[in-house]
PDB file of all heavy atoms in Angstrom:
ATOM      1  N   PRO H   1     -47.587 -43.073  69.144  1.00 97.00           N
ATOM      2  CA  PRO H   1     -49.034 -43.669  69.077  1.00 97.00           C
ATOM      3  C   PRO H   1     -49.864 -43.138  70.060  1.00 97.00           C
ATOM      4  O   PRO H   1     -49.493 -42.854  71.223  1.00 97.00           O
ATOM      5  CB  PRO H   1     -48.729 -45.267  69.331  1.00 97.00           C
ATOM      6  CG  PRO H   1     -47.339 -45.256  69.990  1.00 97.00           C
ATOM      7  CD  PRO H   1     -46.583 -44.119  69.389  1.00 97.00           C
ATOM      8  N   GLY H   2     -51.092 -42.873  69.681  1.00 98.00           N
ATOM      9  CA  GLY H   2     -52.100 -42.286  70.595  1.00 98.00           C
ATOM     10  C   GLY H   2     -52.102 -40.690  70.605  1.00 98.00           C
ATOM     11  O   GLY H   2     -53.039 -40.206  71.018  1.00 98.00           O
ATOM     12  N   MET H   3     -51.110 -40.043  70.102  1.00 98.00           N
ATOM     13  CA  MET H   3     -51.040 -38.717  70.041  1.00 98.00           C
ATOM     14  C   MET H   3     -51.984 -37.985  69.043  1.00 98.00           C
ATOM     15  O   MET H   3     -52.092 -38.537  67.938  1.00 98.00           O
ATOM     16  CB  MET H   3     -49.616 -38.192  69.783  1.00 98.00           C
ATOM     17  CG  MET H   3     -49.574 -36.633  69.759  1.00 98.00           C
ATOM     18  SD  MET H   3     -47.836 -35.960  69.461  1.00 98.00           S
ATOM     19  CE  MET H   3     -47.157 -36.180  71.017  1.00 98.00           C
ATOM     20  N   THR H   4     -52.719 -37.005  69.405  1.00 98.00           N
ATOM     21  CA  THR H   4     -53.434 -36.088  68.377  1.00 98.00           C
ATOM     22  C   THR H   4     -52.898 -34.658  68.488  1.00 98.00           C
ATOM     23  O   THR H   4     -52.457 -34.243  69.619  1.00 98.00           O
ATOM     24  CB  THR H   4     -54.873 -36.165  68.572  1.00 98.00           C
ATOM     25  OG1 THR H   4     -55.190 -35.628  69.971  1.00 98.00           O
ATOM     26  CG2 THR H   4     -55.454 -37.638  68.447  1.00 98.00           C
ATOM     27  N   LEU H   5     -52.882 -34.044  67.400  1.00 98.00           N
ATOM     28  CA  LEU H   5     -52.227 -32.808  67.307  1.00 98.00           C
ATOM     29  C   LEU H   5     -52.765 -32.015  66.044  1.00 98.00           C
ATOM     30  O   LEU H   5     -53.448 -32.671  65.338  1.00 98.00           O
ATOM     31  CB  LEU H   5     -50.724 -32.745  67.333  1.00 98.00           C
ATOM     32  CG  LEU H   5     -50.017 -33.309  65.968  1.00 98.00           C
ATOM     33  CD1 LEU H   5     -48.686 -32.877  65.895  1.00 98.00           C
ATOM     34  CD2 LEU H   5     -50.122 -34.785  65.839  1.00 98.00           C
ATOM     35  N   ASN H   6     -52.375 -30.794  65.912  1.00 98.00           N
ATOM     36  CA  ASN H   6     -52.640 -30.030  64.675  1.00 98.00           C
ATOM     37  C   ASN H   6     -51.612 -29.293  64.185  1.00 98.00           C
ATOM     38  O   ASN H   6     -50.838 -28.562  64.889  1.00 98.00           O
ATOM     39  CB  ASN H   6     -53.847 -29.029  64.949  1.00 98.00           C
ATOM     40  CG  ASN H   6     -54.357 -28.480  63.625  1.00 98.00           C
ATOM     41  OD1 ASN H   6     -53.999 -27.357  63.319  1.00 98.00           O
ATOM     42  ND2 ASN H   6     -55.272 -29.105  62.926  1.00 98.00           N
ATOM     43  N   PHE H   7     -51.206 -29.442  62.925  1.00 98.00           N
ATOM     44  CA  PHE H   7     -50.069 -28.818  62.325  1.00 98.00           C
ATOM     45  C   PHE H   7     -50.186 -27.345  62.292  1.00 98.00           C
ATOM     46  O   PHE H   7     -49.247 -26.575  62.822  1.00 98.00           O
ATOM     47  CB  PHE H   7     -49.957 -29.351  60.823  1.00 98.00           C
ATOM     48  CG  PHE H   7     -48.630 -28.964  60.226  1.00 98.00           C
ATOM     49  CD1 PHE H   7     -47.553 -29.665  60.475  1.00 98.00           C
ATOM     50  CD2 PHE H   7     -48.622 -27.995  59.326  1.00 98.00           C
ATOM     51  CE1 PHE H   7     -46.221 -29.293  59.861  1.00 98.00           C
ATOM     52  CE2 PHE H   7     -47.466 -27.699  58.543  1.00 98.00           C
ATOM     53  CZ  PHE H   7     -46.259 -28.399  58.878  1.00 98.00           C
ATOM     54  N   ALA H   8     -51.345 -26.730  61.737  1.00 98.00           N
ATOM     55  CA  ALA H   8     -51.549 -25.320  61.776  1.00 98.00           C
ATOM     56  C   ALA H   8     -51.478 -24.705  63.224  1.00 98.00           C
ATOM     57  O   ALA H   8     -50.929 -23.565  63.349  1.00 98.00           O
ATOM     58  CB  ALA H   8     -52.780 -25.031  61.092  1.00 98.00           C
ATOM     59  N   GLY H   9     -52.023 -25.364  64.157  1.00 98.00           N
ATOM     60  CA  GLY H   9     -52.091 -24.903  65.568  1.00 98.00           C
ATOM     61  C   GLY H   9     -50.670 -24.791  66.082  1.00 98.00           C
ATOM     62  O   GLY H   9     -50.408 -23.842  66.852  1.00 98.00           O
ATOM     63  N   ASN H  10     -49.680 -25.612  65.655  1.00 98.00           N
ATOM     64  CA  ASN H  10     -48.390 -25.491  66.194  1.00 98.00           C
ATOM     65  C   ASN H  10     -47.693 -24.435  65.437  1.00 98.00           C
ATOM     66  O   ASN H  10     -46.861 -23.647  65.951  1.00 98.00           O
ATOM     67  CB  ASN H  10     -47.496 -26.801  65.986  1.00 98.00           C
ATOM     68  CG  ASN H  10     -47.771 -27.724  67.079  1.00 98.00           C
ATOM     69  OD1 ASN H  10     -47.066 -27.623  68.057  1.00 98.00           O
ATOM     70  ND2 ASN H  10     -48.785 -28.662  67.067  1.00 98.00           N
ATOM     71  N   LEU H  11     -47.821 -24.196  64.188  1.00 97.00           N
ATOM     72  CA  LEU H  11     -47.216 -23.133  63.392  1.00 97.00           C
ATOM     73  C   LEU H  11     -47.727 -21.846  63.747  1.00 97.00           C
ATOM     74  O   LEU H  11     -46.942 -20.787  63.650  1.00 97.00           O
ATOM     75  CB  LEU H  11     -47.293 -23.383  61.812  1.00 97.00           C
ATOM     76  CG  LEU H  11     -46.271 -24.148  61.110  1.00 97.00           C
ATOM     77  CD1 LEU H  11     -46.103 -25.531  61.797  1.00 97.00           C
ATOM     78  CD2 LEU H  11     -46.374 -24.226  59.605  1.00 97.00           C
ATOM     79  N   LEU H  12     -48.912 -21.739  64.228  1.00 96.00           N
ATOM     80  CA  LEU H  12     -49.564 -20.392  64.568  1.00 96.00           C
ATOM     81  C   LEU H  12     -49.577 -20.186  66.064  1.00 96.00           C
ATOM     82  O   LEU H  12     -50.327 -19.358  66.551  1.00 96.00           O
ATOM     83  CB  LEU H  12     -50.877 -20.320  63.975  1.00 96.00           C
ATOM     84  CG  LEU H  12     -50.979 -20.192  62.481  1.00 96.00           C
ATOM     85  CD1 LEU H  12     -52.346 -20.168  61.960  1.00 96.00           C
ATOM     86  CD2 LEU H  12     -50.265 -18.904  61.994  1.00 96.00           C
ATOM     87  N   ARG H  13     -48.880 -20.970  66.775  1.00 91.00           N
ATOM     88  CA  ARG H  13     -48.951 -20.943  68.210  1.00 91.00           C
ATOM     89  C   ARG H  13     -48.581 -19.543  68.826  1.00 91.00           C
ATOM     90  O   ARG H  13     -49.000 -19.226  69.886  1.00 91.00           O
ATOM     91  CB  ARG H  13     -48.030 -21.947  68.862  1.00 91.00           C
ATOM     92  CG  ARG H  13     -46.478 -21.876  68.451  1.00 91.00           C
ATOM     93  CD  ARG H  13     -45.840 -22.993  68.874  1.00 91.00           C
ATOM     94  NE  ARG H  13     -44.307 -22.985  68.498  1.00 91.00           N
ATOM     95  CZ  ARG H  13     -43.372 -23.621  68.922  1.00 91.00           C
ATOM     96  NH1 ARG H  13     -43.568 -24.423  69.887  1.00 91.00           N
ATOM     97  NH2 ARG H  13     -42.026 -23.604  68.430  1.00 91.00           N
ATOM     98  N   LEU H  14     -47.808 -18.836  68.054  1.00 86.00           N
ATOM     99  CA  LEU H  14     -47.405 -17.463  68.430  1.00 86.00           C
ATOM    100  C   LEU H  14     -48.411 -16.299  68.214  1.00 86.00           C
ATOM    101  O   LEU H  14     -48.186 -15.194  68.696  1.00 86.00           O
ATOM    102  CB  LEU H  14     -46.053 -17.054  67.947  1.00 86.00           C
ATOM    103  CG  LEU H  14     -44.864 -18.007  68.249  1.00 86.00           C
ATOM    104  CD1 LEU H  14     -43.616 -17.647  67.416  1.00 86.00           C
ATOM    105  CD2 LEU H  14     -44.643 -17.875  69.773  1.00 86.00           C
ATOM    106  N   ALA H  15     -49.449 -16.754  67.462  1.00 82.00           N
ATOM    107  CA  ALA H  15     -50.590 -15.734  67.141  1.00 82.00           C
ATOM    108  C   ALA H  15     -51.336 -15.350  68.223  1.00 82.00           C
ATOM    109  O   ALA H  15     -52.093 -14.281  68.165  1.00 82.00           O
ATOM    110  CB  ALA H  15     -51.459 -16.315  66.021  1.00 82.00           C
ATOM    111  N   GLU H  16     -51.345 -16.009  69.370  1.00 81.00           N
ATOM    112  CA  GLU H  16     -52.104 -15.652  70.587  1.00 81.00           C
ATOM    113  C   GLU H  16     -51.295 -14.845  71.537  1.00 81.00           C
ATOM    114  O   GLU H  16     -51.852 -14.211  72.458  1.00 81.00           O
ATOM    115  CB  GLU H  16     -52.555 -16.955  71.232  1.00 81.00           C
ATOM    116  CG  GLU H  16     -53.361 -17.869  70.394  1.00 81.00           C
ATOM    117  CD  GLU H  16     -54.758 -17.218  70.006  1.00 81.00           C
ATOM    118  OE1 GLU H  16     -55.118 -16.296  70.641  1.00 81.00           O
ATOM    119  OE2 GLU H  16     -55.344 -17.802  68.997  1.00 81.00           O
ATOM    120  N   GLY H  17     -49.953 -14.841  71.507  1.00 81.00           N
ATOM    121  CA  GLY H  17     -49.192 -14.313  72.675  1.00 81.00           C
ATOM    122  C   GLY H  17     -48.633 -12.917  72.237  1.00 81.00           C
ATOM    123  O   GLY H  17     -49.391 -12.116  71.427  1.00 81.00           O
ATOM    124  N   GLU H  18     -47.489 -12.580  72.869  1.00 84.00           N
ATOM    125  CA  GLU H  18     -46.941 -11.218  72.722  1.00 84.00           C
ATOM    126  C   GLU H  18     -46.595 -10.924  71.304  1.00 84.00           C
ATOM    127  O   GLU H  18     -46.385  -9.782  70.876  1.00 84.00           O
ATOM    128  CB  GLU H  18     -45.848 -11.088  73.608  1.00 84.00           C
ATOM    129  CG  GLU H  18     -46.163 -11.117  75.081  1.00 84.00           C
ATOM    130  CD  GLU H  18     -44.969 -10.879  76.110  1.00 84.00           C
ATOM    131  OE1 GLU H  18     -43.809 -10.862  75.427  1.00 84.00           O
ATOM    132  OE2 GLU H  18     -45.160 -10.927  77.263  1.00 84.00           O
ATOM    133  N   GLN H  19     -46.349 -11.973  70.469  1.00 87.00           N
ATOM    134  CA  GLN H  19     -45.977 -11.728  69.162  1.00 87.00           C
ATOM    135  C   GLN H  19     -47.152 -11.495  68.103  1.00 87.00           C
ATOM    136  O   GLN H  19     -46.817 -11.472  66.903  1.00 87.00           O
ATOM    137  CB  GLN H  19     -45.035 -12.842  68.598  1.00 87.00           C
ATOM    138  CG  GLN H  19     -43.639 -12.733  69.122  1.00 87.00           C
ATOM    139  CD  GLN H  19     -42.633 -13.784  68.510  1.00 87.00           C
ATOM    140  OE1 GLN H  19     -42.276 -14.790  69.130  1.00 87.00           O
ATOM    141  NE2 GLN H  19     -42.440 -13.587  67.258  1.00 87.00           N
ATOM    142  N   ALA H  20     -48.378 -11.537  68.584  1.00 91.00           N
ATOM    143  CA  ALA H  20     -49.504 -11.529  67.611  1.00 91.00           C
ATOM    144  C   ALA H  20     -49.421 -10.443  66.712  1.00 91.00           C
ATOM    145  O   ALA H  20     -49.902 -10.548  65.588  1.00 91.00           O
ATOM    146  CB  ALA H  20     -50.671 -11.497  68.527  1.00 91.00           C
ATOM    147  N   ASN H  21     -48.841  -9.239  67.068  1.00 93.00           N
ATOM    148  CA  ASN H  21     -48.870  -8.153  66.313  1.00 93.00           C
ATOM    149  C   ASN H  21     -47.515  -7.872  65.544  1.00 93.00           C
ATOM    150  O   ASN H  21     -47.212  -6.933  64.853  1.00 93.00           O
ATOM    151  CB  ASN H  21     -49.272  -6.875  66.998  1.00 93.00           C
ATOM    152  CG  ASN H  21     -50.648  -6.870  67.478  1.00 93.00           C
ATOM    153  OD1 ASN H  21     -51.559  -7.244  66.759  1.00 93.00           O
ATOM    154  ND2 ASN H  21     -50.908  -6.432  68.593  1.00 93.00           N
ATOM    155  N   ASP H  22     -46.629  -8.947  65.738  1.00 94.00           N
ATOM    156  CA  ASP H  22     -45.341  -8.826  64.953  1.00 94.00           C
ATOM    157  C   ASP H  22     -45.569  -9.293  63.539  1.00 94.00           C
ATOM    158  O   ASP H  22     -46.483 -10.129  63.198  1.00 94.00           O
ATOM    159  CB  ASP H  22     -44.316  -9.812  65.627  1.00 94.00           C
ATOM    160  CG  ASP H  22     -43.822  -9.248  66.954  1.00 94.00           C
ATOM    161  OD1 ASP H  22     -44.123  -8.002  67.262  1.00 94.00           O
ATOM    162  OD2 ASP H  22     -43.222  -9.996  67.753  1.00 94.00           O
ATOM    163  N   GLU H  23     -44.703  -8.870  62.610  1.00 96.00           N
ATOM    164  CA  GLU H  23     -44.794  -9.409  61.212  1.00 96.00           C
ATOM    165  C   GLU H  23     -44.552 -10.834  61.171  1.00 96.00           C
ATOM    166  O   GLU H  23     -43.535 -11.374  61.715  1.00 96.00           O
ATOM    167  CB  GLU H  23     -43.887  -8.571  60.395  1.00 96.00           C
ATOM    168  CG  GLU H  23     -44.313  -7.274  59.904  1.00 96.00           C
ATOM    169  CD  GLU H  23     -43.321  -6.506  58.926  1.00 96.00           C
ATOM    170  OE1 GLU H  23     -42.295  -6.999  58.707  1.00 96.00           O
ATOM    171  OE2 GLU H  23     -43.899  -5.566  58.379  1.00 96.00           O
ATOM    172  N   ALA H  24     -45.405 -11.571  60.560  1.00 97.00           N
ATOM    173  CA  ALA H  24     -45.205 -13.027  60.332  1.00 97.00           C
ATOM    174  C   ALA H  24     -44.742 -13.254  58.951  1.00 97.00           C
ATOM    175  O   ALA H  24     -43.910 -14.113  58.690  1.00 97.00           O
ATOM    176  CB  ALA H  24     -46.452 -13.751  60.557  1.00 97.00           C
ATOM    177  N   VAL H  25     -45.196 -12.563  57.973  1.00 98.00           N
ATOM    178  CA  VAL H  25     -44.838 -12.758  56.536  1.00 98.00           C
ATOM    179  C   VAL H  25     -44.632 -11.429  55.774  1.00 98.00           C
ATOM    180  O   VAL H  25     -45.538 -10.442  55.902  1.00 98.00           O
ATOM    181  CB  VAL H  25     -46.023 -13.555  55.813  1.00 98.00           C
ATOM    182  CG1 VAL H  25     -45.578 -13.818  54.353  1.00 98.00           C
ATOM    183  CG2 VAL H  25     -46.344 -14.904  56.530  1.00 98.00           C
ATOM    184  N   VAL H  26     -43.573 -11.327  55.055  1.00 98.00           N
ATOM    185  CA  VAL H  26     -43.337 -10.210  54.261  1.00 98.00           C
ATOM    186  C   VAL H  26     -43.156 -10.923  52.695  1.00 98.00           C
ATOM    187  O   VAL H  26     -42.174 -11.656  52.504  1.00 98.00           O
ATOM    188  CB  VAL H  26     -42.099  -9.410  54.526  1.00 98.00           C
ATOM    189  CG1 VAL H  26     -41.891  -8.332  53.553  1.00 98.00           C
ATOM    190  CG2 VAL H  26     -42.233  -8.850  55.921  1.00 98.00           C
ATOM    191  N   ALA H  27     -44.118 -10.511  51.785  1.00 98.00           N
ATOM    192  CA  ALA H  27     -44.120 -11.255  50.598  1.00 98.00           C
ATOM    193  C   ALA H  27     -43.780 -10.286  49.305  1.00 98.00           C
ATOM    194  O   ALA H  27     -44.437  -9.214  49.267  1.00 98.00           O
ATOM    195  CB  ALA H  27     -45.540 -11.802  50.241  1.00 98.00           C
ATOM    196  N   TYR H  28     -42.609 -10.662  48.691  1.00 98.00           N
ATOM    197  CA  TYR H  28     -42.210  -9.931  47.556  1.00 98.00           C
ATOM    198  C   TYR H  28     -42.544 -10.696  46.174  1.00 98.00           C
ATOM    199  O   TYR H  28     -42.414 -12.012  46.213  1.00 98.00           O
ATOM    200  CB  TYR H  28     -40.790  -9.738  47.489  1.00 98.00           C
ATOM    201  CG  TYR H  28     -40.189  -8.757  48.448  1.00 98.00           C
ATOM    202  CD1 TYR H  28     -39.968  -8.813  49.776  1.00 98.00           C
ATOM    203  CD2 TYR H  28     -39.985  -7.342  48.008  1.00 98.00           C
ATOM    204  CE1 TYR H  28     -39.574  -7.873  50.692  1.00 98.00           C
ATOM    205  CE2 TYR H  28     -39.583  -6.377  48.875  1.00 98.00           C
ATOM    206  CZ  TYR H  28     -39.288  -6.578  50.205  1.00 98.00           C
ATOM    207  OH  TYR H  28     -38.880  -5.668  51.078  1.00 98.00           O
ATOM    208  N   CYS H  29     -42.949 -10.051  45.157  1.00 97.00           N
ATOM    209  CA  CYS H  29     -43.114 -10.686  43.913  1.00 97.00           C
ATOM    210  C   CYS H  29     -42.990  -9.655  42.746  1.00 97.00           C
ATOM    211  O   CYS H  29     -42.805  -8.463  43.133  1.00 97.00           O
ATOM    212  CB  CYS H  29     -44.396 -11.470  43.807  1.00 97.00           C
ATOM    213  SG  CYS H  29     -45.786 -10.351  43.410  1.00 97.00           S
ATOM    214  N   GLU H  30     -42.787 -10.186  41.510  1.00 97.00           N
ATOM    215  CA  GLU H  30     -42.534  -9.181  40.450  1.00 97.00           C
ATOM    216  C   GLU H  30     -43.736  -8.447  40.005  1.00 97.00           C
ATOM    217  O   GLU H  30     -43.674  -7.463  39.255  1.00 97.00           O
ATOM    218  CB  GLU H  30     -41.881  -9.944  39.266  1.00 97.00           C
ATOM    219  CG  GLU H  30     -40.541 -10.502  39.566  1.00 97.00           C
ATOM    220  CD  GLU H  30     -39.832 -11.117  38.302  1.00 97.00           C
ATOM    221  OE1 GLU H  30     -40.454 -10.831  37.202  1.00 97.00           O
ATOM    222  OE2 GLU H  30     -38.868 -11.676  38.353  1.00 97.00           O
ATOM    223  N   THR H  31     -44.948  -8.861  40.443  1.00 97.00           N
ATOM    224  CA  THR H  31     -46.140  -8.322  39.796  1.00 97.00           C
ATOM    225  C   THR H  31     -47.066  -7.487  40.719  1.00 97.00           C
ATOM    226  O   THR H  31     -48.027  -6.874  40.251  1.00 97.00           O
ATOM    227  CB  THR H  31     -47.102  -9.510  39.226  1.00 97.00           C
ATOM    228  OG1 THR H  31     -47.339 -10.372  40.244  1.00 97.00           O
ATOM    229  CG2 THR H  31     -46.291 -10.277  38.044  1.00 97.00           C
ATOM    230  N   ARG H  32     -46.659  -7.502  41.930  1.00 97.00           N
ATOM    231  CA  ARG H  32     -47.502  -6.754  42.939  1.00 97.00           C
ATOM    232  C   ARG H  32     -46.614  -6.055  43.996  1.00 97.00           C
ATOM    233  O   ARG H  32     -45.425  -6.496  44.224  1.00 97.00           O
ATOM    234  CB  ARG H  32     -48.465  -7.741  43.688  1.00 97.00           C
ATOM    235  CG  ARG H  32     -49.429  -8.488  42.830  1.00 97.00           C
ATOM    236  CD  ARG H  32     -50.396  -9.281  43.699  1.00 97.00           C
ATOM    237  NE  ARG H  32     -49.741 -10.242  44.603  1.00 97.00           N
ATOM    238  CZ  ARG H  32     -50.353 -11.115  45.219  1.00 97.00           C
ATOM    239  NH1 ARG H  32     -51.785 -11.261  45.146  1.00 97.00           N
ATOM    240  NH2 ARG H  32     -49.751 -11.966  46.178  1.00 97.00           N
ATOM    241  N   PRO H  33     -47.206  -5.088  44.689  1.00 97.00           N
ATOM    242  CA  PRO H  33     -46.351  -4.406  45.777  1.00 97.00           C
ATOM    243  C   PRO H  33     -46.073  -5.381  46.835  1.00 97.00           C
ATOM    244  O   PRO H  33     -46.838  -6.416  47.042  1.00 97.00           O
ATOM    245  CB  PRO H  33     -47.323  -3.243  46.221  1.00 97.00           C
ATOM    246  CG  PRO H  33     -48.311  -3.072  45.136  1.00 97.00           C
ATOM    247  CD  PRO H  33     -48.478  -4.480  44.486  1.00 97.00           C
ATOM    248  N   VAL H  34     -45.119  -5.127  47.672  1.00 98.00           N
ATOM    249  CA  VAL H  34     -44.735  -5.921  48.745  1.00 98.00           C
ATOM    250  C   VAL H  34     -45.906  -6.045  49.757  1.00 98.00           C
ATOM    251  O   VAL H  34     -46.593  -5.036  49.986  1.00 98.00           O
ATOM    252  CB  VAL H  34     -43.484  -5.427  49.477  1.00 98.00           C
ATOM    253  CG1 VAL H  34     -43.627  -4.068  49.965  1.00 98.00           C
ATOM    254  CG2 VAL H  34     -43.086  -6.487  50.725  1.00 98.00           C
TER     255      VAL H  34
END
């Protein structure tokens, strides 16, 4: 109780640090290039 937070902010917390330029997502599908 009383806490406020943000879901996306926690999932993207590494986008500001040393890992910012590391791959986060590699997406494969049948209809488009990776």
